[in-house]
Amino acid sequence: MNVLFNINYQLAYGEDMLLNIIAPNGQIRSQRMSSKGDGIMSTLAKIDSGGINHIDYYYSVERSGQPTRSEWTTQTHRIDLTLTGVQQYTTNDVWREIPQDSYLYSSAFTQCINRRTKQETLTEPSQTILRLKVRAPQLRSFEHLAVVGSEEALGCWNPDKAIPMTEISPNEWIADINAEKIDVSYFEYKFIAIPQKEEVKDGCMPTHHLLWETGENRTLTTPMIRRGEIYIIEHSQAFFEICDSRFAGTLIPVFSLRTKGSFGVGDFGDLCTMIDWIAYTGQKLIQVLPINDTTVTRTWTDSYPYSCISIFALHPQYVDIRQLPALKNKKKAEYFEALREELNALPQIDYERVNNAKEEYLHLIYKQEGAAILESEDFRKWFCEEQHWLVPYAQFCCLRDENGTTDFSTWKGNETWDEENRKELSTPTSKAYKKAAYYYAVQFILASQMKKAHEYARSKHVILKGDIPIGVNRNSCDVWQEPHYFNLNGQAGAPPDGFSVKGQNWGFPTYNWDAIVQDDCQWWVKRFQNMQKYFDAYRIDHVLGFFRIWEIPIGSVHGLLGQFQPSLGFTRTEIESYGLIFREDFYCRPYITDDILRRMFGSEAETIERTYLEPLQGPLYRFRKEYDTQRKIEAAVEDTDVKEGLYALLSNVLFLRDHKRNDLFHPRISVQYDFIYEQLADNEKDAFNRLYDDYFYHRNTHFWYREAMKKLPKMVEATRMLVCAEDLGMVPDCVPWVMNDLRILTLELQSMPKQIGLEFGDADTYPYRSVCTIDSHDMPTLRMWWDEDYERADHYYHNVLHRRDDTPHPMPAWLTRDVIVRNLLSPSMLCVLSLQDWMGIDDTVRLPDANAERINIPANPRHYWRYRMHKNIEELIANQRFCDDVMEIVTRAGR
C-alpha cells in the first residue's frame, strides 16, 4: 500500500526534513523528504499494512545529519487503516509543536477526567473518500465531535444531520466523506461538539449540549481524489467556548491509609476505598508518596519511602491480603486475623511487626498457591514484559537474604549483576529460578493489585498521582545492576533552606549524567514508562536535580560542604578578577584558631585541640587524619554537642575544590555566617559577595537550562501522564523557562513564595498550570505550622486574611476551613490538600493532637515514617456532615 505524505513547512537553507514512521515494536523508520515547491515537503512510502490497523509517524528537521527540531512526539500523527479496498492514502499534515494545552492530552484527562465511551461511526461505502482530521482536546466526557457544513453531504448546516466523527487517538478525530457526493469546487463547514448517543432523544440533540467551534467558518477547495484513494486533510485545532477546568484532590501516603480490614498499614485495597471517598466528595485526584520497595535492613529505618532498592519493584507491605486466597491452615488463619486486628488498632504504624507479618503470610500463600500463580497465563505474559528488571531484582533480594546485607560490595563473586545469569534465572526448571520465584510471584501479585486500583480510579474519573524520587538507595538493585549510571563518590542532597539550615544529605549516589544522556536517558525513560502502568499523573521529586544536583562529598554528614554538579566553577584567575586575592591553602581548608575554639567550645577548647587537632602553621590548626572528615567524626565521637561542633569546624572553609577538576573552585554556601568569612577585610568581603552572588544566581543560569533540556524533554514525552514538579528551594532563573517550555505544572505554596520580597505568596496570582497546596509531606500540617511560629501566623492572619481581631491559638476549625477555601479559589489547575488539613475543618473529625499529624521531618535523616490516619475511611464516608462540607467547599470553589 502506498502513502503519500505531505506537510507544509518552510525549511531554512541547509536543512532537511525527515518522515519518521513508528513500527508496532517501537522501531523508527526514517525517510528523507523532498520539496514540491510552495513550502510543501513530500515523500512516498510503501507500507505493509498486514496485521496493523493504523500508522503512527512524526516529522523532524536535521542539518548536516544532526537533528535540530522535532515535532511533539507525545501525540504523533496517525492514519487509520481500518477501511478495506484502499489503494493509496494521501496526507496533508500540519506541523505539531507542543501545545499550550498539552495537559489535555495527558491520560489524567483522556482516561480519567474526560474519559469517553467509544462510539462506532458508520462510514458510507465509497471508492473516493475525503477524510477530515482535527484535534479537539477540550471535549468533555459526555461530548463527541461532528462536522457540519454547507453541502448536503455535510448536513446543510443542520446539526441533526452532522457527520459524527471517530476518535482514532486521544483528542484526534476523523470524518470520512464520500467525495462523489460533493459536486461543488468550494464549501464551508465547522466542527461541533455533540452529546453522546445516550443523551440524544427522538433523534434530536439537546441544544444546551450543542457547541459550535469558535471563529469563522472553515473553507475547503474540493481536491481531486482518485478512485481507491483516501485523501486526508489535517486541520488546526478546533476551539470551543469551554473554560479551563480546576480540580481538588487529597495527598495521603498509601501506608497512612486505614480501613476496617487493613493489616496495620495502608494497602492497595485501602487505596480503592480512599478513591470512593475522593469521588464521593467531588474531588478528582489522590496523590500518594512513592510505593517502591525499600527493604534494606527489615527495620523501621526502611520506612523512608524515597530510598528505594528498585525503581520498578513495589513494596510488599502494600499487598492487600483480603484479595489473596484464604489460608487453608485454619490455625494460621486465626492467628493472622488476631494479629491483623491488633496491628490495625495501633495509632501509628509498627513498621517492623507489620512487614514481618506480611512477609510470613506471603511465604505461606506462596507455598499454598505459588505453583498455580507461576503456571498461569497472566503471570507468564507479565513475566515476559517485566523480566528486564524483575530477574535482577529477584536475585538481588535472594543475595540480600543470604548475606544479611544489601551492601553488595561484600557479596563475594556477586559484587555486580552478571547478565549471563539471566537465562538460568528465567528457566522454570532451574534451581536458580525456583529460588527466585517467590519474589517473582510477590511482585506479580502487587502489580496486579495496583493495576486494579488504577483502573478503579479511572472508572471513577479520579486521577491517581504518583511520586518519582530524585534518587535511589546507595545499596539498591539499580546501582548493583547498572553502576555506570551512578557516582558513588558523591551524596545527593539539598543546600540550606527553610527545611534545614545545614542542608540536607539524603545519602543517595548522584548520577553520571554523561553516561545517562549518552544512552538517550533510557534508564529514566523506562522508569517513567513503568510508572504509567499505575498512575495518570506524577510529581517529579526535586526537579532542580535535573538542572544540577547538590553533591556532597562521601565523607560529609551535613550538606554545607556540597557543591552544585554540574556547574561552572571558578579558575584562580576568575576569582582574582573580582578583586579577591586567592590564597588556596588558606581558603580551601578549615580555618581553625584558638579564638575560634574558645568561642565554640568554651572551657572544653583545650581538650578539643589536644584530642582532635594538630598544629598547622602559626596560630592555625588542622584536624588529625583520623578525624578529618565528618564521617570519621560521626563514627568516633559520641557526645552530640562535640560532634556537631567538630562538623561545623570542618565546614569553616571559604571555597571548595571542584569534584571533577582540581583547578576549579566553588564558594561554600552560607559561608557568610562562618568564622572564615568574619576574618576577611571589608574589601575582601565585598569582592567575595559579588562572586558569591554571581555564582549562585547568574553564572550558571543558561548552562543549567541547557543541562535540563538534555534530559527532561525525553522523560516528559516518554508517557502520557500529567507532569507536575516540586520546584521549591534555591530555584535558578532558568527553571521557570524549562517548566514553561515543557508545560510542566509548578508547585505553589503561600508559605514559600517564589516572588522576591514577599512573606506569603498571593494565591490569586498562581498560574493555571500549577498545583496549589498548603503543605507537603516534608512540612508541618496547617494546624502545626499555625502554632509553631506565632509571629508568622499573626502576619498571615492580619495581612493575608485581613482579620482585625487577635490571632486565635490553637487553630480553630473555622479558620482552617477559611484558609483551605482561599487556596481552592486560586487559578491553579490542581489544589491538592493533605488529608490532615481536610480533617482539620471539623472539630469532631480532626486529630486531637495536631503534632501527631506530621509525616516527615527533613532535617532528620533517620525519621520514622509511621503516620496513619486516626479514623478509618469507612467512618469518613459514613460521616455525612463532614463529606457534605468537603463537597460544598469543593463545589463552591468551582472545582
Side-chain angles (χ1 to χ4, degrees):
M1 181 185 64
N2 293 331
V3 180
L4 181 61
F5 294 90
N6 299 291
I7 184 170
N8 191 333
Y9 190 91
Q10 296 290 338
L11 292 172
Y13 179 76
E15 290 183 331
D16 293 302
M17 176 165 279
L18 298 179
L19 165 71
N20 306 282
I21 300 174
I22 306 170
N25 63 1
Q27 295 292 317
I28 296 176
R29 182 183 116 197
S30 297
Q31 186 169 320
R32 198 172 301 277
M33 304 183 75
S34 58
S35 174
K36 290 174 64 175
D38 296 326
I40 304 297
M41 303 302 298
S42 181
T43 189
L44 181 67
K46 292 189 177 296
I47 304 294
D48 180 6
S49 59
I52 60 173
N53 56 20
H54 66 265
I55 304 169
D56 289 327
Y57 61 98
Y58 66 95
Y59 300 99
S60 61
V61 178
E62 66 177 24
R63 180 186 292 273
S64 303
Q66 296 298 314
T68 57
R69 287 191 302 285
S70 175
E71 285 192 293
W72 183 44
T73 56
T74 298
Q75 179 85 359
T76 54
H77 300 270
R78 174 169 290 186
I79 299 175
D80 182 83
L81 304 176
T82 53
L83 293 184
T84 58
V86 181
Q87 298 173 19
Q88 176 169 311
Y89 290 85
T90 300
T91 76
N92 297 272
D93 292 321
V94 176
W95 178 273
R96 296 184 177 184
E97 296 284 358
I98 180 171
Q100 291 293 329
D101 57 3
S102 62
Y103 50 86
L104 291 174
Y105 294 85
S106 70
S107 60
F109 280 83
T110 61
Q111 298 297 320
C112 301
I113 301 297
N114 294 331
R115 183 171 181 160
R116 282 183 284 272
T117 55
K118 288 216 174 222
Q119 294 190 0
E120 296 297 325
T121 55
L122 298 176
T123 300
E124 182 182 348
S126 172
Q127 293 297 310
T128 56
I129 293 177
L130 173 63
R131 175 172 291 176
L132 305 181
K133 182 166 68 170
V134 68
R135 288 179 292 163
Q138 293 172 287
L139 298 191
R140 294 158 291 192
S141 59
F142 54 85
E143 293 167 325
H144 281 240
L145 200 66
V147 60
V148 64
S150 57
E151 288 305 294
E152 184 176 350
L154 292 167
C156 294
W157 294 117
N158 183 350
D160 293 331
K161 296 181 180 180
I163 299 177
M165 301 183 73
T166 301
E167 190 173 16
I168 59 169
S169 64
N171 298 324
E172 186 162 77
W173 302 78
I174 60 170
D176 288 347
I177 302 168
N178 185 348
E180 297 170 0
K181 291 191 174 182
I182 302 176
D183 53 6
V184 295
S185 59
Y186 165 92
F187 60 91
E188 298 183 354
Y189 56 101
K190 272 197 167 187
F191 298 105
I192 58 175
I194 61 176
Q196 294 187 77
K197 287 181 181 179
E198 53 266 28
E199 297 195 27
V200 177
K201 296 180 180 179
D202 301 322
C204 296
M205 301 175 198
T207 55
H208 67 281
H209 276 167
L210 181 65
L211 287 175
W212 294 74
E213 68 168 317
T214 60
E216 299 295 324
N217 292 346
R218 297 180 188 254
T219 61
L220 183 65
T221 300
T222 307
M224 294 293 295
I225 306 175
R226 294 174 294 178
R227 293 183 66 81
E229 179 183 16
I230 293 183
Y231 193 90
I232 306 168
I233 297 179
E234 182 175 4
H235 295 71
S236 58
Q237 179 174 325
F239 288 94
F240 296 90
E241 290 183 339
I242 300 174
C243 64
D244 291 329
S245 300
R246 295 153 53 247
F247 310 105
T250 295
L251 165 65
I252 182 73
V254 175
F255 60 75
S256 297
L257 296 173
R258 183 193 296 269
T259 63
K260 292 178 180 178
S262 48
F263 206 117
V265 67
D267 57 44
F268 293 147
D270 297 337
L271 186 56
C272 292
T273 311
M274 189 65 187
I275 289 165
D276 287 334
W277 181 77
I278 293 290
Y280 183 53
T281 54
Q283 300 179 70
K284 292 294 183 182
L285 180 143
I286 177 170
Q287 178 177 332
V288 299
L289 301 191
I291 55 175
N292 299 98
D293 190 2
T294 60
T295 309
V296 174
T297 65
R298 287 193 167 87
T299 66
W300 66 265
T301 58
D302 295 346
S303 66
Y304 182 22
Y306 288 85
S307 184
C308 66
I309 63 165
S310 170
I311 59 174
F312 299 105
L314 301 176
H315 201 306
Q317 73 173 349
Y318 297 124
V319 67
D320 180 9
I321 286 174
R322 292 161 293 187
Q323 296 184 46
L324 301 178
L327 287 176
K328 294 177 181 178
N329 185 320
K330 298 298 183 184
K331 280 191 175 182
K332 282 288 184 182
E334 291 171 2
Y335 163 76
F336 278 107
E337 176 57 21
L339 181 59
R340 184 200 67 77
E341 290 182 0
E342 178 189 346
L343 293 174
N344 211 34
L346 297 176
Q348 294 179 306
I349 300 165
D350 188 329
Y351 184 89
E352 294 174 19
R353 291 186 67 200
V354 163
N355 278 272
N356 289 339
K358 284 202 168 184
E359 184 175 24
E360 183 183 355
Y361 194 99
L362 285 168
H363 274 288
L364 291 172
I365 283 292
Y366 177 71
K367 186 176 180 181
Q368 177 181 299
E369 307 287 342
I373 292 172
L374 299 177
E375 290 171 8
S376 69
E377 188 61 34
D378 286 344
F379 172 82
R380 289 175 179 173
K381 180 182 177 183
W382 175 82
F383 185 87
C384 288
E385 294 171 352
E386 309 297 333
Q387 60 179 316
H388 66 95
W389 67 266
L390 180 66
V391 172
Y393 164 77
Q395 190 188 32
F396 177 90
C397 291
C398 291
L399 290 168
R400 173 200 61 198
D401 298 344
E402 287 176 16
N403 292 278
T405 178
T406 56
D407 183 358
F408 44 78
S409 66
T410 66
W411 298 350
K412 292 183 179 179
N414 291 291
E415 289 84 359
T416 58
W417 159 253
D418 187 348
E419 188 63 28
E420 291 186 3
N421 293 333
R422 183 180 292 278
K423 183 176 181 181
E424 186 180 8
L425 286 158
S426 304
T427 304
T429 56
S430 72
K431 183 178 178 181
Y433 179 94
K434 292 174 182 176
K435 194 175 180 181
Y438 164 77
Y439 289 104
Y440 297 157
V442 169
Q443 287 301 313
F444 172 69
I445 291 168
L446 290 164
S448 302
Q449 291 187 359
M450 185 58 201
K451 286 177 182 176
K452 181 180 177 182
H454 181 206
E455 188 53 43
Y456 186 70
R458 285 181 166 184
S459 72
K460 294 283 188 176
H461 298 275
V462 170
I463 302 166
L464 261 186
K465 181 182 175 185
D467 196 334
I468 294 186
I470 186 63
V472 298
N473 190 286
R474 181 170 296 275
N475 293 319
S476 67
C477 178
D478 306 295
V479 179
W480 178 66
Q481 184 182 358
E482 299 178 290
H484 58 290
Y485 287 144
F486 300 91
N487 171 26
L488 296 175
N489 293 320
Q491 305 174 93
D497 56 19
F499 295 121
S500 177
V501 295
K502 296 174 184 175
Q504 298 177 52
N505 184 350
W506 304 322
F508 309 139
T510 53
Y511 293 106
N512 179 359
W513 281 113
D514 292 338
I516 291 174
V517 171
Q518 188 175 358
D519 287 349
D520 211 25
C521 295
Q522 283 305 298
W523 187 86
W524 276 97
V525 166
K526 290 175 184 176
R527 186 178 187 182
F528 280 63
Q529 289 175 340
N530 183 72
M531 188 117 178
Q532 74 176 340
K533 297 171 185 175
Y534 310 121
F535 299 100
D536 288 302
Y538 64 91
R539 166 190 177 269
I540 303 178
D541 172 45
H542 194 65
V543 74
L544 304 185
F546 293 92
F547 295 76
R548 77 293 182 275
I549 196 70
W550 189 247
E551 187 175 77
I552 303 162
I554 195 66
S556 293
V557 174
H558 291 158
L560 287 175
L561 291 176
Q563 60 186 242
F564 287 125
Q565 284 293 341
S567 64
L568 305 174
F570 291 103
T571 64
R572 179 190 299 268
T573 303
E574 287 178 311
I575 291 172
E576 294 187 342
S577 71
Y578 286 87
L580 181 67
I581 298 174
F582 187 64
R583 295 174 281 171
E584 183 176 334
D585 287 345
F586 183 65
Y587 289 154
C588 295
R589 60 164 43 118
Y591 177 67
I592 308 171
T593 66
D594 286 322
D595 179 60
I596 292 173
L597 291 173
R598 283 192 298 270
R599 291 167 65 182
M600 290 186 66
F601 298 99
S603 61
E604 297 294 319
E606 290 187 14
T607 304
I608 296 295
E609 181 261 309
R610 286 196 309 269
T611 308
Y612 304 105
L613 308 173
E614 61 186 19
L616 179 59
Q617 59 183 21
L620 302 179
Y621 296 93
R622 68 180 176 190
F623 276 89
R624 297 179 186 274
K625 187 165 184 171
E626 58 267 35
Y627 305 111
D628 62 357
T629 71
Q630 291 182 345
R631 290 294 178 195
K632 290 179 181 179
I633 292 169
E634 181 185 41
V637 180
E638 294 184 2
D639 186 293
T640 302
D641 292 336
V642 172
K643 188 184 297 186
E644 291 294 330
L646 294 174
Y647 289 167
L649 269 185
L650 275 170
S651 303
N652 190 33
V653 296
L654 201 66
F655 285 94
L656 302 166
R657 199 180 299 275
D658 187 87
H659 293 166
K660 293 183 178 179
R661 288 181 52 181
N662 285 335
D663 61 333
L664 296 179
F665 303 90
H666 305 256
R668 205 217 81 191
I669 197 164
S670 301
V671 73
Q672 290 89 340
Y673 301 101
D674 245 323
F675 295 109
I676 192 167
Y677 178 83
E678 183 183 281
Q679 62 81 40
L680 295 178
D682 287 346
N683 64 313
E684 291 176 318
K685 289 178 181 177
D686 289 342
F688 178 81
N689 288 341
R690 289 197 305 275
L691 176 150
Y692 183 95
D693 181 72
D694 188 18
Y695 174 82
F696 284 110
Y697 302 105
H698 307 290
R699 177 182 177 88
N700 290 285
T701 301
H702 291 277
F703 173 69
W704 285 336
Y705 173 83
R706 293 191 297 272
E707 287 296 309
M709 292 302 284
K710 289 178 186 176
K711 311 157 193 170
L712 283 172
K714 295 180 176 67
M715 301 171 199
V716 168
E717 294 192 9
T719 76
R720 284 189 174 274
M721 291 186 289
L722 180 66
V723 190
C724 312
E726 182 260 293
D727 56 337
L728 304 176
M730 196 173 183
V731 183
D733 288 344
C734 59
V735 172
W737 309 344
V738 173
M739 300 281 277
N740 184 61
D741 286 350
L742 302 180
R743 316 297 190 253
I744 300 174
L745 272 63
T746 62
L747 182 61
E748 307 292 336
L749 290 89
Q750 282 191 300
S751 60
M752 297 182 71
K754 293 174 180 173
Q755 301 93 328
I756 296 174
L758 292 182
E759 184 179 12
F760 297 103
D762 183 359
D764 292 338
T765 64
Y766 290 167
Y768 175 67
R769 281 201 306 261
S770 69
V771 179
C772 164
T773 191
I774 296 173
D775 45 67
S776 73
H777 64 275
D778 280 334
M779 302 168 66
T781 60
L782 177 57
R783 293 168 61 208
M784 289 179 67
W785 172 81
W786 194 260
D787 290 327
E788 278 183 1
D789 191 334
Y790 274 44
E791 185 177 358
R792 281 202 84 195
D794 188 64
H795 290 177
Y796 186 90
Y797 190 72
H798 294 108
N799 300 333
V800 177
L801 301 182
H802 304 293
R803 299 274 183 176
R804 295 188 177 182
D805 54 323
D806 292 338
T807 307
H809 289 281
M811 191 176 205
W814 65 263
L815 184 53
T816 305
R817 191 182 197 277
D818 190 12
V819 174
I820 284 176
V821 167
R822 289 169 187 264
N823 278 269
L824 285 167
L825 288 171
S826 73
S828 299
M829 179 195 301
L830 303 175
C831 182
V832 183
L833 306 173
S834 70
L835 182 64
Q836 300 94 305
D837 287 346
W838 276 120
M839 292 195 289
I841 67 173
D842 191 319
D843 284 321
T844 66
V845 175
R846 57 167 48 183
L847 192 64
D849 180 11
N851 291 321
E853 294 180 338
R854 189 80 188 243
I855 294 176
N856 180 40
I857 302 175
N860 177 11
R862 290 177 59 81
H863 180 74
Y864 191 173
W865 298 63
R866 60 188 315 200
Y867 167 76
R868 201 157 181 232
M869 54 190 295
H870 63 290
K871 292 182 179 293
N872 61 55
I873 305 170
E874 294 94 336
E875 286 182 82
L876 290 187
I877 295 174
N879 190 329
Q880 194 66 48
R881 189 184 72 172
F882 175 65
C883 291
D884 288 347
D885 199 15
V886 173
M887 191 184 304
E888 180 188 15
I889 293 172
V890 170
T891 304
R892 287 195 174 185
R895 293 185 182 273

